[in-house]
Amino acid sequence: MAILHNLGFPRIGASRELKFALESYWQGQTGSDDLLATAAKLRERHWQLQSGLDWQPVGDFSLYDQMLDMSVTLGNLPARALGGKDLDSYFRAARGRAPDDSDCQCKHAAEMTKWFDTNYHYLVPELDANSQFALYPARLLGELGEAKVQGARPKAVIIGPVTYLYLSKTKDGSDALDLLPRLLPVYQQLLDRLAATSLEWLQIDEPALACDLDEDWQQAFIDSYRTLEKHGPKKLLCSYFGPLLENFTLAAELPVDGLHIDCVSQPEEGRREAVALATALPPERILSLGVINGRNIWKTDLLPLLDWLEPLSQQLGDRLWLAPSCSLLHVPYSLEEETQLDGELKSWLAFAVEKLTELQTVGAALNRGRSSVSHALQSNTEALARRRHSNRVHKPEVQAAVNGIHRGLGNRQSPFADRAEQQRRLLQLPRFPTTTIGSFPQTADIRQFRLRYKRGELSEQQYRQYMQQEIAYCIAEQEALGLDVLVHGEAERNDMVEYFGQQLDGYAFSQYGWVQSYGSRCVKPPILFGDISRPSAMTVEWSCFAQSLTDKPMKGMLTGPVTILNWSFVRDDQPRRDSCYQLALAIRQEVLDLEAAGIRIIQIDEAALREGLPLRRAQRQEYLDWAVESFRIAANGVRDDTQIHTHMCYSEFNDIIDSIARMDADVITIETSRSELELLDAFDDFNYPNDIGPGVYDIHSPNVPSSEAIVSLMRKAAEKLPAERLWINPDCGLKTRGWKEVLAALQNMVSAAHQLRAG
Ligand code: GLN
Ligand code: ZN
């Protein structure tokens, strides 16, 4: 009998209950009791939904982030966050402040970065050579208690010691691995405590196994699992986000009770590893196969999967466990409420709840025979056949355009130095030009208006008028502040990817397909299902209206092809590269239309370029080549005196700085303030050739940076880069912030620019 389980369930709630509970708690509108009650209700509902599985995950829920939870469990919150109630310390670590903190008590929030190659952001654990750990198991033990009361069969979930250290950052340059001997005793204690609760299985997530591991990290795996061998419940070691590849033997030989591997990210390697493990694992160990893709929203092709699984099931019996490839955190909750999705497209999709149903269908087919689920199998096969042959998916003219892409398409007419000269003459900007990244605060009013328009409660004309008013307001504020390059504020955009997807052919939209991005922030990735084309201009009207209100240059604002790709659910029936080129051609048309309409500066955001980077080094260059080429195709068809900006955020760029340079944007603005300008280290070895604006205002925190702090950050930057190539800007868009703090921060930013210009 194949055993069914799940690695994790989306925690935000069918109607984003967690988001709203968090935000109202942070704003002081509700108390901690309300927040915790909502959280408990969500857990209960989610365990119920998973009750058809043999094991339900417990501990996958989080009020903010699972890495932060692990930091709490290990007693590793930054000292500056501690004080008051536990929940205060928790949110202070996450966001820089707790609801009751007065303004002056703000601390800087922990650094946030992408969780492997996903669009989820975790809070980076902070370590130094003196870090001490201590066990705080209350959250996990409490949730296990809840699960038992509710009749679940709990499998506890934690992040393993190696991945925890692997994703940490030491503030003093020491080696995180030196802390392993100090960390493992706390894991031992945790495992012992869990064993004492009569818990049978513990899922230990070690996705670091899907990365290239140097010898010392491999050794850390061996040391860790030997040290933990005699402790705790049975251990299921989980690797996901890719095959094991050269970590195969390492993983197979670790002394644990079961191993979970990802069989779908790279299906050939994954399946090969599964077959090899079925023979290689000692007979008492279980093998868990991630066979339902936890990263996409497509139905699984069940018949070929069963063809492959049946012999393994024969061979392994109840040593075979089946699950989604990774936590379902990365897919939306359920298709059930999606009444507006086109029926045919919907029949091709599976969200979290449906993925669990697929898993149960697979389980039933293996355990009770295919005939026991013949209806489900047949409708699955039919839906996928329709998708394969649909002319809504396959459009010959788009494929012909992609085939027509040639080398020259991505080249600017002249080298940067010549262009920069022409742009200087045209734009007449001061030294240290100031600008913002695009969005201004999205007030409740704005969101309300967009919603009413979407619901058909407002006429096109009313909506336009309102948006124009917002743009006018935003421009007046920017002029009053004295910013040099203005933006229209993006009030019309709900989301920087969805906005474009909505206007492109080949995209579809869910109503409730929310996926957690970080904390209470969710995104609703559009679904790229078919060949892409742009029926008409997408942003030209707003940008031109905005430009008509000011003499300052107005930045046109687009999302780049790589980011649209990486923040969408994309096709699994063609290489990502091909989808990206299709997007690049569509954005190129928009860029040229903006230029023709008189917009002199165009920013093409590639916030997500870095996150598409494959986890394995050997696969990176190929990705970077087509990603950079896609940006170049989109951006570089313009005249020399049109200034192209790009913007990137949230992650480490140092290792891809040469690819970023190859994009050849005239100006890049980049997130750095959370990592305290660490990014600039990259410029020690690499001479970045074009203009750059290192973000000097951390927009993830409500704190207002002082002008002295900004001046000092910029002076640091000017030690590495020529001052005449530096811009001053926040590190990302301002849409989540309030006007009051934004105005205060930008005021300080502009005044910092004045100080810098003065000497
Ligand atoms: N232009 C976008 C904004 O300002 C960029 C957002 C981002 O990089 N994530 O909102
Ligand atoms: Zn950004």
Side-chain angles (χ1 to χ4, degrees), residues 588-614:
R588 179 183 177 92
Q589 290 173 339
E590 185 73 12
V591 168
L592 295 177
D593 281 354
L594 279 170
E595 181 181 59
I599 300 298
R600 320 311 337 226
I601 304 184
I602 301 168
Q603 176 173 314
I604 306 172
D605 291 327
E606 284 292 17
L609 187 116
R610 175 68 169 73
E611 85 192 43
L613 208 57

Side-chain angles (χ1 to χ4, degrees), residues 8-123:
F9 193 82
R11 52 215 178 199
I12 206 79
S15 319
R16 287 180 294 160
E17 293 91 326
L18 181 59
K19 170 192 179 67
F20 300 117
L22 282 168
E23 289 172 358
S24 97
Y25 171 68
W26 293 335
Q27 283 154 19
Q29 289 158 359
T30 44
S32 56
D33 289 355
D34 295 298
L35 173 62
L36 298 179
T38 302
K41 230 183 292 155
L42 287 169
R43 288 192 291 268
E44 179 173 8
R45 198 185 304 152
H46 298 167
W47 288 323
Q48 261 162 23
L49 277 167
Q50 300 173 86
S51 60
L53 308 179
D54 297 292
W55 299 100
Q56 289 86 47
V58 176
D60 57 329
F61 186 86
S62 175
L63 285 174
Y64 200 96
D65 166 45
Q66 70 269 13
M67 274 299 272
L68 181 61
D69 289 356
M70 205 60 217
S71 289
V72 171
T73 306
L74 299 170
N76 185 43
L77 285 189
R80 64 177 185 277
L82 300 178
K85 292 178 294 195
D86 286 353
L87 211 51
D88 288 347
S89 308
Y90 183 81
F91 287 125
R92 227 176 270 126
R95 319 173 56 236
R97 73 198 299 180
D100 293 338
D101 290 353
S102 64
D103 281 351
C104 54
Q105 266 185 317
C106 291
K107 309 291 188 308
H108 75 91
E111 192 179 321
M112 187 163 62
T113 199
K114 308 269 181 195
W115 176 245
F116 296 88
D117 59 353
T118 73
N119 182 28
Y120 176 79
H121 305 75
Y122 71 95
L123 288 162

